Amino acid sequence: MSKDIRVIAFDADDTLWNNEIYYQETEHAFCELLSDYLPKEEVSKALFATEMRNLDRYGFGAKSFLLSLLETAAQITGSNMNDVLMRHILDLGHNLIDKPITLLDGVEDTLNKLNGDYTLVLATKGDLLDQERKLKNSNLSSFFNHVEVMSDKQIKDYNSLLGKLSCSAEEFLMVGNSVKSDIIPVLELGGSALHVPFHVTWAHEVVEEELTYDKYRKLENIKGVLDYLK
């Protein structure tokens, strides 16, 4: 299967570098901040519900998350929402955006060994400015022939990407940590996909079903991409 692959696309967050752990740390601090109003578990449920309502409005990313934090706090605290609480929440959001980029094990070595043999693409979703900043701070920019920041990762979004790359689905391999966003849409198009699980996953991205596609493999880590392509 791998002999036809010409283009390899990599997800960014939690595939190349740490991301979700920072969101969970921020959510934990937010729930702690509002624990006088509701139990932490209830705050977390309210936040997730707000995020889901806001996806069509704000999309994905840290700024979207910050707006959902503020909206959830206003909903929970009502007339008790004040400037001090708002400042605390803004600080949480700013700290999230300013988190350092920590590459996951094997990322740089894997990209280096693939460089020159394949067209390498960064295919991620979220806020454009935020993802551009992360890529710059990762020092991985030189490995990629093309960077695509999508508002979402649905079949139509991957179709659009394939068109820009003048690449057929049969020539395309996607590598990512999210079965929902990185794997299933590409497989449905007829492409190949490698799942590199991360130890924490945002609830919105969780898929419980086992996949049985011929062009799908689940890897232990990103270094397994090299073995798959041999």
Side-chain angles (χ1 to χ4, degrees):
M1 290 182 292
S2 62
K3 68 181 186 303
D4 298 324
I5 291 168
R6 181 172 61 83
V7 176
I8 305 176
F10 290 85
D11 174 53
D13 295 333
D14 297 321
T15 299
L16 302 181
W17 53 67
N18 282 307
N19 180 68
E20 179 60 23
I21 56 173
Y22 298 139
Y23 277 80
Q24 293 199 3
E25 288 172 0
T26 303
E27 180 175 333
H28 178 77
F30 176 73
C31 293
E32 193 74 48
L33 195 61
L34 297 182
S35 59
D36 287 342
Y37 297 90
L38 279 178
K40 296 172 189 175
E41 295 79 7
E42 294 302 315
V43 176
S44 182
K45 288 179 183 178
L47 173 60
F48 183 71
T50 304
E51 289 181 274
M52 295 303 98
R53 286 198 308 271
N54 285 338
L55 279 182
D56 288 341
R57 293 190 184 100
Y58 305 140
F60 300 87
K63 282 183 274 189
S64 169
F65 186 59
L66 174 55
L67 288 169
S68 290
L69 291 176
L70 290 167
E71 182 178 332
T72 304
Q75 172 190 329
I76 290 173
T77 62
S79 61
N80 291 320
M81 184 73 169
N82 55 49
D83 292 344
V84 174
L85 180 57
M86 185 179 295
R87 183 70 257 172
H88 279 307
I89 296 170
L90 287 171
D91 286 343
L92 289 177
H94 294 164
N95 289 337
L96 174 62
I97 291 171
D98 294 336
K99 289 290 186 183
I101 295 301
T102 305
L103 297 182
L104 298 178
D105 182 47
V107 165
E108 193 165 7
D109 182 59
T110 299
L111 293 176
N112 188 53
K113 288 177 178 175
L114 294 172
N115 195 25
D117 292 332
Y118 299 89
T119 297
L120 300 185
V121 174
L122 183 75
T124 188
K125 68 180 178 183
D127 177 76
L128 178 61
L129 180 61
D130 193 29
Q131 296 297 61
E132 287 179 337
R133 182 191 299 113
K134 289 180 184 178
L135 179 57
K136 179 182 177 182
N137 292 340
S138 74
N139 295 317
L140 297 177
S141 301
S142 61
F143 289 114
F144 296 106
N145 305 100
H146 179 84
V147 175
E148 188 81 4
V149 180
M150 310 175 189
S151 59
D152 203 352
K153 281 182 168 178
Q154 305 288 338
I155 289 178
K156 62 179 179 60
D157 303 295
Y158 284 105
N159 251 330
S160 175
L161 174 60
L162 291 176
K164 292 177 184 178
L165 297 170
S166 299
C167 174
S168 68
E170 291 74 20
E171 298 172 308
F172 184 78
L173 170 65
M174 183 69 196
V175 181
N177 71 290
S178 171
V179 172
K180 183 177 182 179
S181 295
D182 302 320
I183 306 302
I184 292 177
V186 173
L187 294 172
E188 290 291 322
L189 278 173
S192 302
L194 300 179
H195 180 214
V196 185
F198 193 64
H199 63 279
V200 290
T201 303
W202 184 31
H204 179 64
E205 299 290 341
V206 172
V207 173
E208 299 293 347
E209 67 183 277
E210 287 293 325
L211 303 186
T212 57
Y213 294 82
D214 290 338
K215 295 184 178 181
Y216 164 75
R217 294 290 185 277
K218 184 176 181 180
L219 307 178
E220 289 187 8
N221 54 59
I222 201 167
K223 290 179 281 190
V225 175
L226 299 172
D227 293 327
Y228 174 81
L229 292 168
K230 287 180 180 178

